[in-house]
Amino acid sequence: MFLPIYLYGHPILREQTQDITADYPQLKELIANMYETMYESDGVGLAAPQIGKAIRLLVIDGTPVADTFPECEGLKRTFINAKIEKFDGKEVSEVEGCLSIPGISESVTRPSSIVVSYVDEEFQPHREEFHGYAARIIQHEYDHLEGTLFTDRVSPFRKKIIKRKLAKIEEGFTVSRYPYVSASKRSK
């Protein structure tokens, strides 16, 4: 089922998320719906707060960008109760966008390598190291679990420039090709 995306300004995007257990209600269905929503929205990642759930769950699939970023080949993962244990490597700036902030893309500087511990959809533990754009995708989605948006990480100058656009999204005046829930309760 395609789920609506919660947009910039909605309080759920700023909430601290909670760990979940294997008995979380309809978890398999929720994960499947998140993947479907991500694919139908042309995203490479989706975190639970973006669909209105304050839980530590995110899905990613880097396959669509693997031609440009080979480290994303085969990068399809479900991260439950993820914790980034280590940030490493040089700081790299790349342009990011977000399904919760349609129409805005900005340069964000992030470490080029991370180590993440998490459990998968079978609640099997993993500890993996990711590099390059794969690390960026995970960090972006992980930020959602911490109540942080990519626009929080742009320069003060760029924040001033996008302030009006963000206000329009928050007020529900945005154009998106996918269903959404805005902070002002305007929905598409």
Side-chain angles (χ1 to χ4, degrees), residues 65-161:
V65 296
D67 286 347
T68 306
F69 303 103
E71 64 272 23
C72 293
E73 184 65 43
L75 179 68
K76 181 178 179 181
R77 303 273 195 296
T78 300
F79 293 82
I80 299 172
N81 303 336
K83 174 72 177 157
I84 296 181
E85 296 179 0
K86 183 178 178 184
F87 295 91
D88 204 10
K90 66 179 182 175
E91 297 276 319
V92 177
S93 290
E94 293 272 356
V95 174
E96 295 184 17
C98 182
L99 297 175
S100 292
I101 309 174
I104 297 178
S105 298
E106 291 291 331
S107 183
V108 177
T109 302
R110 296 186 187 272
S112 59
S113 296
I114 57 171
V115 175
V116 184
S117 61
Y118 65 98
V119 294
D120 62 23
E121 56 272 13
E122 302 301 326
F123 275 75
Q124 295 301 307
H126 299 269
R127 186 176 188 271
E128 291 186 76
E129 188 170 345
F130 298 93
H131 304 279
Y133 207 76
R136 176 171 297 277
I137 294 169
I138 295 164
Q139 289 176 78
H140 177 105
E141 299 307 328
Y142 184 86
D143 273 355
H144 282 293
L145 304 182
E146 301 295 316
T148 302
L149 302 173
F150 85 93
T151 51
D152 299 333
R153 297 190 179 276
V154 302
S155 72
F157 175 73
R158 293 301 305 167
K159 281 182 185 175
K160 286 181 182 179
I161 290 175

Side-chain angles (χ1 to χ4, degrees), residues 53-71:
K53 306 269 186 206
I55 59 173
R56 296 191 71 79
L57 168 63
L58 64 92
V59 299
I60 62 169
D61 188 346
T63 306
V65 296
D67 286 347
T68 306
F69 303 103
E71 64 272 23

